[in-house]
PDB file of all heavy atoms in Angstrom:
ATOM      1  N   TYR J   1     209.831 209.044 -60.937  1.00  0.00           N
ATOM      2  CA  TYR J   1     209.119 207.866 -60.428  1.00  0.00           C
ATOM      3  C   TYR J   1     207.669 207.689 -60.891  1.00  0.00           C
ATOM      4  O   TYR J   1     207.196 206.553 -61.230  1.00  0.00           O
ATOM      5  CB  TYR J   1     209.141 207.633 -58.923  1.00  0.00           C
ATOM      6  CG  TYR J   1     208.497 206.253 -58.467  1.00  0.00           C
ATOM      7  CD1 TYR J   1     209.372 205.116 -58.600  1.00  0.00           C
ATOM      8  CD2 TYR J   1     207.341 206.193 -57.992  1.00  0.00           C
ATOM      9  CE1 TYR J   1     208.787 203.847 -58.285  1.00  0.00           C
ATOM     10  CE2 TYR J   1     206.771 204.968 -57.572  1.00  0.00           C
ATOM     11  CZ  TYR J   1     207.589 203.836 -57.761  1.00  0.00           C
ATOM     12  OH  TYR J   1     207.072 202.672 -57.394  1.00  0.00           O
ATOM     13  N   ALA J   2     207.044 208.778 -61.021  1.00  0.00           N
ATOM     14  CA  ALA J   2     205.597 208.919 -61.534  1.00  0.00           C
ATOM     15  C   ALA J   2     205.597 208.455 -62.980  1.00  0.00           C
ATOM     16  O   ALA J   2     204.467 207.903 -63.402  1.00  0.00           O
ATOM     17  CB  ALA J   2     205.042 210.366 -61.471  1.00  0.00           C
ATOM     18  N   ARG J   3     206.654 208.575 -63.658  1.00  0.00           N
ATOM     19  CA  ARG J   3     206.640 208.089 -65.121  1.00  0.00           C
ATOM     20  C   ARG J   3     206.721 206.611 -65.273  1.00  0.00           C
ATOM     21  O   ARG J   3     206.378 205.961 -66.294  1.00  0.00           O
ATOM     22  CB  ARG J   3     207.937 208.624 -65.844  1.00  0.00           C
ATOM     23  CG  ARG J   3     208.016 210.112 -66.027  1.00  0.00           C
ATOM     24  CD  ARG J   3     207.022 210.686 -67.121  1.00  0.00           C
ATOM     25  NE  ARG J   3     207.161 210.009 -68.432  1.00  0.00           N
ATOM     26  CZ  ARG J   3     206.380 209.884 -69.248  1.00  0.00           C
ATOM     27  NH1 ARG J   3     205.087 210.371 -69.169  1.00  0.00           N
ATOM     28  NH2 ARG J   3     206.680 209.264 -70.390  1.00  0.00           N
ATOM     29  N   ARG J   4     207.068 205.849 -64.117  1.00  0.00           N
ATOM     30  CA  ARG J   4     207.151 204.425 -64.220  1.00  0.00           C
ATOM     31  C   ARG J   4     205.788 203.796 -64.693  1.00  0.00           C
ATOM     32  O   ARG J   4     205.791 202.951 -65.459  1.00  0.00           O
ATOM     33  CB  ARG J   4     207.524 203.845 -62.790  1.00  0.00           C
ATOM     34  CG  ARG J   4     207.784 202.409 -62.809  1.00  0.00           C
ATOM     35  CD  ARG J   4     207.661 201.842 -61.351  1.00  0.00           C
ATOM     36  NE  ARG J   4     206.433 202.056 -60.846  1.00  0.00           N
ATOM     37  CZ  ARG J   4     205.429 201.103 -60.954  1.00  0.00           C
ATOM     38  NH1 ARG J   4     205.530 199.983 -61.603  1.00  0.00           N
ATOM     39  NH2 ARG J   4     204.135 201.317 -60.484  1.00  0.00           N
ATOM     40  N   LYS J   5     204.672 204.326 -64.055  1.00  0.00           N
ATOM     41  CA  LYS J   5     203.403 203.511 -64.295  1.00  0.00           C
ATOM     42  C   LYS J   5     202.814 203.920 -65.827  1.00  0.00           C
ATOM     43  O   LYS J   5     202.023 203.117 -66.241  1.00  0.00           O
ATOM     44  CB  LYS J   5     202.376 204.049 -63.339  1.00  0.00           C
ATOM     45  CG  LYS J   5     202.096 205.493 -63.260  1.00  0.00           C
ATOM     46  CD  LYS J   5     201.013 205.760 -62.278  1.00  0.00           C
ATOM     47  CE  LYS J   5     200.682 207.205 -62.037  1.00  0.00           C
ATOM     48  NZ  LYS J   5     201.756 207.991 -61.425  1.00  0.00           N
ATOM     49  N   VAL J   6     203.383 204.915 -66.481  1.00  0.00           N
ATOM     50  CA  VAL J   6     203.014 205.198 -67.792  1.00  0.00           C
ATOM     51  C   VAL J   6     203.932 204.581 -68.765  1.00  0.00           C
ATOM     52  O   VAL J   6     203.867 204.663 -69.985  1.00  0.00           O
ATOM     53  CB  VAL J   6     202.807 206.716 -68.029  1.00  0.00           C
ATOM     54  CG1 VAL J   6     201.652 207.094 -67.142  1.00  0.00           C
ATOM     55  CG2 VAL J   6     203.922 207.465 -67.844  1.00  0.00           C
ATOM     56  N   ILE J   7     205.176 204.082 -68.272  1.00  0.00           N
ATOM     57  CA  ILE J   7     206.124 203.442 -69.231  1.00  0.00           C
ATOM     58  C   ILE J   7     205.805 201.917 -69.294  1.00  0.00           C
ATOM     59  O   ILE J   7     205.612 201.386 -70.466  1.00  0.00           O
ATOM     60  CB  ILE J   7     207.538 203.687 -68.771  1.00  0.00           C
ATOM     61  CG1 ILE J   7     207.851 205.103 -68.690  1.00  0.00           C
ATOM     62  CG2 ILE J   7     208.497 202.849 -69.539  1.00  0.00           C
ATOM     63  CD1 ILE J   7     209.202 205.530 -68.112  1.00  0.00           C
ATOM     64  N   VAL J   8     205.819 201.255 -68.203  1.00  0.00           N
ATOM     65  CA  VAL J   8     205.784 199.841 -68.255  1.00  0.00           C
ATOM     66  C   VAL J   8     204.378 199.234 -67.991  1.00  0.00           C
ATOM     67  O   VAL J   8     204.131 198.114 -68.673  1.00  0.00           O
ATOM     68  CB  VAL J   8     206.773 199.153 -67.220  1.00  0.00           C
ATOM     69  CG1 VAL J   8     206.301 199.515 -65.761  1.00  0.00           C
ATOM     70  CG2 VAL J   8     206.893 197.710 -67.363  1.00  0.00           C
ATOM     71  N   GLU J   9     203.579 199.767 -67.320  1.00  0.00           N
ATOM     72  CA  GLU J   9     202.216 199.100 -66.856  1.00  0.00           C
ATOM     73  C   GLU J   9     201.315 199.118 -68.226  1.00  0.00           C
ATOM     74  O   GLU J   9     200.638 198.161 -68.352  1.00  0.00           O
ATOM     75  CB  GLU J   9     201.515 199.930 -65.830  1.00  0.00           C
ATOM     76  CG  GLU J   9     202.160 199.617 -64.580  1.00  0.00           C
ATOM     77  CD  GLU J   9     201.536 200.291 -63.274  1.00  0.00           C
ATOM     78  OE1 GLU J   9     200.421 200.801 -63.501  1.00  0.00           O
ATOM     79  OE2 GLU J   9     201.978 200.274 -62.151  1.00  0.00           O
ATOM     80  N   PRO J  10     201.384 200.051 -68.997  1.00  0.00           N
ATOM     81  CA  PRO J  10     200.458 200.053 -70.362  1.00  0.00           C
ATOM     82  C   PRO J  10     200.856 198.931 -71.181  1.00  0.00           C
ATOM     83  O   PRO J  10     200.048 198.334 -71.918  1.00  0.00           O
ATOM     84  CB  PRO J  10     200.777 201.369 -70.986  1.00  0.00           C
ATOM     85  CG  PRO J  10     201.053 202.287 -69.890  1.00  0.00           C
ATOM     86  CD  PRO J  10     201.917 201.511 -68.951  1.00  0.00           C
ATOM     87  N   VAL J  11     202.151 198.519 -71.200  1.00  0.00           N
ATOM     88  CA  VAL J  11     202.664 197.433 -72.011  1.00  0.00           C
ATOM     89  C   VAL J  11     201.967 196.122 -71.559  1.00  0.00           C
ATOM     90  O   VAL J  11     201.411 195.415 -72.570  1.00  0.00           O
ATOM     91  CB  VAL J  11     204.191 197.261 -71.854  1.00  0.00           C
ATOM     92  CG1 VAL J  11     204.639 195.920 -72.465  1.00  0.00           C
ATOM     93  CG2 VAL J  11     204.911 198.388 -72.501  1.00  0.00           C
ATOM     94  N   TYR J  12     201.902 195.756 -70.303  1.00  0.00           N
ATOM     95  CA  TYR J  12     201.190 194.620 -69.945  1.00  0.00           C
ATOM     96  C   TYR J  12     199.613 194.835 -70.113  1.00  0.00           C
ATOM     97  O   TYR J  12     199.013 193.713 -70.398  1.00  0.00           O
ATOM     98  CB  TYR J  12     201.399 194.480 -68.408  1.00  0.00           C
ATOM     99  CG  TYR J  12     202.685 193.951 -68.093  1.00  0.00           C
ATOM    100  CD1 TYR J  12     203.537 194.596 -67.186  1.00  0.00           C
ATOM    101  CD2 TYR J  12     203.353 192.645 -68.611  1.00  0.00           C
ATOM    102  CE1 TYR J  12     204.851 194.039 -66.933  1.00  0.00           C
ATOM    103  CE2 TYR J  12     204.524 192.356 -68.422  1.00  0.00           C
ATOM    104  CZ  TYR J  12     205.340 193.012 -67.503  1.00  0.00           C
ATOM    105  OH  TYR J  12     206.545 192.587 -67.234  1.00  0.00           O
ATOM    106  N   GLY J  13     199.193 195.997 -70.061  1.00  0.00           N
ATOM    107  CA  GLY J  13     197.717 196.178 -70.478  1.00  0.00           C
ATOM    108  C   GLY J  13     197.459 195.831 -71.959  1.00  0.00           C
ATOM    109  O   GLY J  13     196.403 195.310 -72.201  1.00  0.00           O
ATOM    110  N   GLN J  14     198.297 196.316 -72.785  1.00  0.00           N
ATOM    111  CA  GLN J  14     198.215 196.041 -74.221  1.00  0.00           C
ATOM    112  C   GLN J  14     198.183 194.610 -74.494  1.00  0.00           C
ATOM    113  O   GLN J  14     197.458 193.966 -75.300  1.00  0.00           O
ATOM    114  CB  GLN J  14     199.166 196.789 -75.033  1.00  0.00           C
ATOM    115  CG  GLN J  14     198.988 198.335 -74.938  1.00  0.00           C
ATOM    116  CD  GLN J  14     200.330 199.133 -75.160  1.00  0.00           C
ATOM    117  OE1 GLN J  14     201.262 198.644 -75.733  1.00  0.00           O
ATOM    118  NE2 GLN J  14     200.254 200.423 -74.815  1.00  0.00           N
ATOM    119  N   ILE J  15     199.206 193.920 -73.892  1.00  0.00           N
ATOM    120  CA  ILE J  15     199.350 192.491 -74.060  1.00  0.00           C
ATOM    121  C   ILE J  15     198.276 191.620 -73.588  1.00  0.00           C
ATOM    122  O   ILE J  15     197.659 190.712 -74.317  1.00  0.00           O
ATOM    123  CB  ILE J  15     200.708 192.029 -73.586  1.00  0.00           C
ATOM    124  CG1 ILE J  15     201.951 192.637 -74.268  1.00  0.00           C
ATOM    125  CG2 ILE J  15     200.858 190.451 -73.558  1.00  0.00           C
ATOM    126  CD1 ILE J  15     203.318 192.342 -73.716  1.00  0.00           C
ATOM    127  N   LYS J  16     197.891 191.891 -72.338  1.00  0.00           N
ATOM    128  CA  LYS J  16     196.931 191.050 -71.595  1.00  0.00           C
ATOM    129  C   LYS J  16     195.503 191.544 -71.914  1.00  0.00           C
ATOM    130  O   LYS J  16     194.633 190.652 -72.120  1.00  0.00           O
ATOM    131  CB  LYS J  16     197.199 191.058 -70.095  1.00  0.00           C
ATOM    132  CG  LYS J  16     198.546 190.457 -69.726  1.00  0.00           C
ATOM    133  CD  LYS J  16     198.917 190.837 -68.193  1.00  0.00           C
ATOM    134  CE  LYS J  16     198.018 189.919 -67.363  1.00  0.00           C
ATOM    135  NZ  LYS J  16     198.513 190.130 -65.942  1.00  0.00           N
ATOM    136  N   GLY J  17     195.290 192.788 -71.959  1.00  0.00           N
ATOM    137  CA  GLY J  17     193.964 193.420 -72.101  1.00  0.00           C
ATOM    138  C   GLY J  17     193.464 193.526 -73.498  1.00  0.00           C
ATOM    139  O   GLY J  17     192.448 193.008 -73.966  1.00  0.00           O
ATOM    140  N   CYS J  18     194.413 194.129 -74.381  1.00  0.00           N
ATOM    141  CA  CYS J  18     193.960 194.310 -75.803  1.00  0.00           C
ATOM    142  C   CYS J  18     194.108 193.182 -76.626  1.00  0.00           C
ATOM    143  O   CYS J  18     193.337 192.934 -77.388  1.00  0.00           O
ATOM    144  CB  CYS J  18     194.770 195.498 -76.374  1.00  0.00           C
ATOM    145  SG  CYS J  18     194.654 197.148 -75.388  1.00  0.00           S
ATOM    146  N   ARG J  19     195.228 192.396 -76.439  1.00  0.00           N
ATOM    147  CA  ARG J  19     195.594 191.295 -77.355  1.00  0.00           C
ATOM    148  C   ARG J  19     195.149 189.945 -76.742  1.00  0.00           C
ATOM    149  O   ARG J  19     195.210 188.890 -77.196  1.00  0.00           O
ATOM    150  CB  ARG J  19     197.049 191.312 -77.899  1.00  0.00           C
ATOM    151  CG  ARG J  19     197.263 192.420 -78.687  1.00  0.00           C
ATOM    152  CD  ARG J  19     198.546 192.257 -79.422  1.00  0.00           C
ATOM    153  NE  ARG J  19     199.692 192.570 -78.485  1.00  0.00           N
ATOM    154  CZ  ARG J  19     200.208 193.701 -78.168  1.00  0.00           C
ATOM    155  NH1 ARG J  19     199.535 194.830 -78.676  1.00  0.00           N
ATOM    156  NH2 ARG J  19     201.195 193.865 -77.353  1.00  0.00           N
ATOM    157  N   GLY J  20     194.674 190.098 -75.489  1.00  0.00           N
ATOM    158  CA  GLY J  20     194.088 188.899 -74.762  1.00  0.00           C
ATOM    159  C   GLY J  20     195.024 187.790 -74.446  1.00  0.00           C
ATOM    160  O   GLY J  20     194.697 186.545 -74.245  1.00  0.00           O
ATOM    161  N   PHE J  21     196.414 188.054 -74.330  1.00  0.00           N
ATOM    162  CA  PHE J  21     197.382 187.043 -73.887  1.00  0.00           C
ATOM    163  C   PHE J  21     197.327 187.046 -72.310  1.00  0.00           C
ATOM    164  O   PHE J  21     198.194 187.813 -71.733  1.00  0.00           O
ATOM    165  CB  PHE J  21     198.681 187.240 -74.566  1.00  0.00           C
ATOM    166  CG  PHE J  21     199.630 186.103 -74.253  1.00  0.00           C
ATOM    167  CD1 PHE J  21     199.733 185.078 -75.162  1.00  0.00           C
ATOM    168  CD2 PHE J  21     200.429 186.223 -73.127  1.00  0.00           C
ATOM    169  CE1 PHE J  21     200.515 184.021 -74.952  1.00  0.00           C
ATOM    170  CE2 PHE J  21     201.451 185.059 -72.932  1.00  0.00           C
ATOM    171  CZ  PHE J  21     201.304 183.962 -73.751  1.00  0.00           C
ATOM    172  N   ASP J  22     196.554 186.086 -71.769  1.00  0.00           N
ATOM    173  CA  ASP J  22     196.583 186.131 -70.283  1.00  0.00           C
ATOM    174  C   ASP J  22     196.735 184.646 -69.883  1.00  0.00           C
ATOM    175  O   ASP J  22     196.687 184.472 -68.643  1.00  0.00           O
ATOM    176  CB  ASP J  22     195.232 186.586 -69.721  1.00  0.00           C
ATOM    177  CG  ASP J  22     194.062 185.761 -70.324  1.00  0.00           C
ATOM    178  OD1 ASP J  22     194.259 184.959 -71.140  1.00  0.00           O
ATOM    179  OD2 ASP J  22     192.834 186.101 -69.859  1.00  0.00           O
ATOM    180  N   ARG J  23     197.119 183.804 -70.769  1.00  0.00           N
ATOM    181  CA  ARG J  23     197.438 182.453 -70.362  1.00  0.00           C
ATOM    182  C   ARG J  23     198.390 181.918 -71.269  1.00  0.00           C
ATOM    183  O   ARG J  23     198.265 182.052 -72.610  1.00  0.00           O
ATOM    184  CB  ARG J  23     196.131 181.578 -70.319  1.00  0.00           C
ATOM    185  CG  ARG J  23     196.407 180.127 -69.939  1.00  0.00           C
ATOM    186  CD  ARG J  23     195.048 179.294 -70.053  1.00  0.00           C
ATOM    187  NE  ARG J  23     194.054 179.777 -69.139  1.00  0.00           N
ATOM    188  CZ  ARG J  23     194.008 179.372 -67.867  1.00  0.00           C
ATOM    189  NH1 ARG J  23     194.791 178.389 -67.389  1.00  0.00           N
ATOM    190  NH2 ARG J  23     192.974 179.748 -67.126  1.00  0.00           N
ATOM    191  N   PHE J  24     199.494 181.100 -70.864  1.00  0.00           N
ATOM    192  CA  PHE J  24     200.447 180.498 -71.727  1.00  0.00           C
ATOM    193  C   PHE J  24     199.807 179.344 -72.423  1.00  0.00           C
ATOM    194  O   PHE J  24     198.920 178.536 -71.804  1.00  0.00           O
ATOM    195  CB  PHE J  24     201.669 180.037 -70.966  1.00  0.00           C
ATOM    196  CG  PHE J  24     202.522 181.194 -70.659  1.00  0.00           C
ATOM    197  CD1 PHE J  24     202.570 181.597 -69.326  1.00  0.00           C
ATOM    198  CD2 PHE J  24     203.295 181.846 -71.631  1.00  0.00           C
ATOM    199  CE1 PHE J  24     203.438 182.668 -68.897  1.00  0.00           C
ATOM    200  CE2 PHE J  24     204.102 182.895 -71.208  1.00  0.00           C
ATOM    201  CZ  PHE J  24     204.189 183.399 -69.923  1.00  0.00           C
ATOM    202  N   SER J  25     200.271 178.996 -73.562  1.00  0.00           N
ATOM    203  CA  SER J  25     199.753 177.736 -74.312  1.00  0.00           C
ATOM    204  C   SER J  25     200.556 176.519 -74.119  1.00  0.00           C
ATOM    205  O   SER J  25     200.110 175.405 -74.199  1.00  0.00           O
ATOM    206  CB  SER J  25     199.754 178.056 -75.782  1.00  0.00           C
ATOM    207  OG  SER J  25     198.896 179.091 -76.197  1.00  0.00           O
ATOM    208  N   LEU J  26     201.895 176.734 -73.604  1.00  0.00           N
ATOM    209  CA  LEU J  26     202.794 175.694 -73.357  1.00  0.00           C
ATOM    210  C   LEU J  26     202.942 175.395 -71.889  1.00  0.00           C
ATOM    211  O   LEU J  26     202.610 176.310 -71.038  1.00  0.00           O
ATOM    212  CB  LEU J  26     204.079 175.951 -74.077  1.00  0.00           C
ATOM    213  CG  LEU J  26     203.924 176.220 -75.585  1.00  0.00           C
ATOM    214  CD1 LEU J  26     205.297 176.653 -76.218  1.00  0.00           C
ATOM    215  CD2 LEU J  26     203.270 175.073 -76.353  1.00  0.00           C
ATOM    216  N   ARG J  27     203.731 174.357 -71.632  1.00  0.00           N
ATOM    217  CA  ARG J  27     204.034 173.993 -70.107  1.00  0.00           C
ATOM    218  C   ARG J  27     205.448 173.773 -70.022  1.00  0.00           C
ATOM    219  O   ARG J  27     206.118 173.253 -70.812  1.00  0.00           O
ATOM    220  CB  ARG J  27     203.205 172.726 -69.758  1.00  0.00           C
ATOM    221  CG  ARG J  27     201.732 172.931 -69.772  1.00  0.00           C
ATOM    222  CD  ARG J  27     200.973 171.612 -69.758  1.00  0.00           C
ATOM    223  NE  ARG J  27     199.443 171.752 -69.736  1.00  0.00           N
ATOM    224  CZ  ARG J  27     198.673 170.766 -69.909  1.00  0.00           C
ATOM    225  NH1 ARG J  27     199.074 169.596 -70.095  1.00  0.00           N
ATOM    226  NH2 ARG J  27     197.282 170.964 -69.916  1.00  0.00           N
ATOM    227  N   GLY J  28     205.940 174.155 -68.785  1.00  0.00           N
ATOM    228  CA  GLY J  28     207.349 174.049 -68.490  1.00  0.00           C
ATOM    229  C   GLY J  28     208.008 175.412 -68.614  1.00  0.00           C
ATOM    230  O   GLY J  28     207.640 176.266 -69.502  1.00  0.00           O
ATOM    231  N   LEU J  29     208.941 175.737 -67.654  1.00  0.00           N
ATOM    232  CA  LEU J  29     209.507 177.009 -67.619  1.00  0.00           C
ATOM    233  C   LEU J  29     210.173 177.488 -68.883  1.00  0.00           C
ATOM    234  O   LEU J  29     210.131 178.546 -69.470  1.00  0.00           O
ATOM    235  CB  LEU J  29     210.480 177.173 -66.453  1.00  0.00           C
ATOM    236  CG  LEU J  29     211.101 178.508 -66.134  1.00  0.00           C
ATOM    237  CD1 LEU J  29     210.138 179.558 -65.955  1.00  0.00           C
ATOM    238  CD2 LEU J  29     212.161 178.503 -64.934  1.00  0.00           C
ATOM    239  N   GLU J  30     210.997 176.549 -69.568  1.00  0.00           N
ATOM    240  CA  GLU J  30     211.799 176.776 -70.637  1.00  0.00           C
ATOM    241  C   GLU J  30     210.851 177.074 -71.889  1.00  0.00           C
ATOM    242  O   GLU J  30     211.086 177.977 -72.649  1.00  0.00           O
ATOM    243  CB  GLU J  30     212.766 175.742 -70.952  1.00  0.00           C
ATOM    244  CG  GLU J  30     214.035 175.642 -70.142  1.00  0.00           C
ATOM    245  CD  GLU J  30     214.759 177.024 -70.040  1.00  0.00           C
ATOM    246  OE1 GLU J  30     215.049 177.587 -71.119  1.00  0.00           O
ATOM    247  OE2 GLU J  30     215.124 177.439 -68.950  1.00  0.00           O
ATOM    248  N   LYS J  31     209.797 176.236 -72.016  1.00  0.00           N
ATOM    249  CA  LYS J  31     208.894 176.447 -73.148  1.00  0.00           C
ATOM    250  C   LYS J  31     208.167 177.771 -72.908  1.00  0.00           C
ATOM    251  O   LYS J  31     207.946 178.576 -73.923  1.00  0.00           O
ATOM    252  CB  LYS J  31     207.949 175.350 -73.187  1.00  0.00           C
ATOM    253  CG  LYS J  31     208.494 173.973 -73.561  1.00  0.00           C
ATOM    254  CD  LYS J  31     207.491 172.972 -73.632  1.00  0.00           C
ATOM    255  CE  LYS J  31     208.186 171.620 -74.185  1.00  0.00           C
ATOM    256  NZ  LYS J  31     207.201 170.438 -74.287  1.00  0.00           N
ATOM    257  N   VAL J  32     207.668 178.065 -71.678  1.00  0.00           N
ATOM    258  CA  VAL J  32     207.128 179.418 -71.380  1.00  0.00           C
ATOM    259  C   VAL J  32     207.962 180.564 -71.715  1.00  0.00           C
ATOM    260  O   VAL J  32     207.470 181.560 -72.347  1.00  0.00           O
ATOM    261  CB  VAL J  32     206.712 179.425 -69.974  1.00  0.00           C
ATOM    262  CG1 VAL J  32     206.308 180.829 -69.458  1.00  0.00           C
ATOM    263  CG2 VAL J  32     205.421 178.458 -69.768  1.00  0.00           C
ATOM    264  N   LYS J  33     209.340 180.464 -71.405  1.00  0.00           N
ATOM    265  CA  LYS J  33     210.307 181.561 -71.843  1.00  0.00           C
ATOM    266  C   LYS J  33     210.247 181.831 -73.326  1.00  0.00           C
ATOM    267  O   LYS J  33     210.254 182.990 -73.731  1.00  0.00           O
ATOM    268  CB  LYS J  33     211.664 181.227 -71.308  1.00  0.00           C
ATOM    269  CG  LYS J  33     211.771 181.289 -69.735  1.00  0.00           C
ATOM    270  CD  LYS J  33     213.255 181.125 -69.370  1.00  0.00           C
ATOM    271  CE  LYS J  33     213.418 181.296 -67.955  1.00  0.00           C
ATOM    272  NZ  LYS J  33     214.775 181.113 -67.427  1.00  0.00           N
TER     273      LYS J  33
END
């Protein structure tokens, strides 16, 4: 279970923190998907 935080959490850190994707550009659930 300790491996969980080093598998998935860095992915969101790279997307949101490193590449700055913290807000969608489009509106509506299907477009956001």
Side-chain angles (χ1 to χ4, degrees):
Y1 183 76
R3 293 288 303 161
R4 183 199 66 84
K5 61 178 178 287
V6 298
I7 297 174
V8 65
E9 291 184 4
V11 170
Y12 288 122
Q14 292 156 17
I15 291 174
K16 298 169 72 174
C18 300
R19 294 191 285 279
F21 187 84
D22 58 357
R23 182 187 294 273
F24 287 106
S25 301
L26 306 177
R27 294 168 182 166
L29 184 59
E30 285 304 314
K31 291 181 179 179
V32 161
K33 285 184 177 183

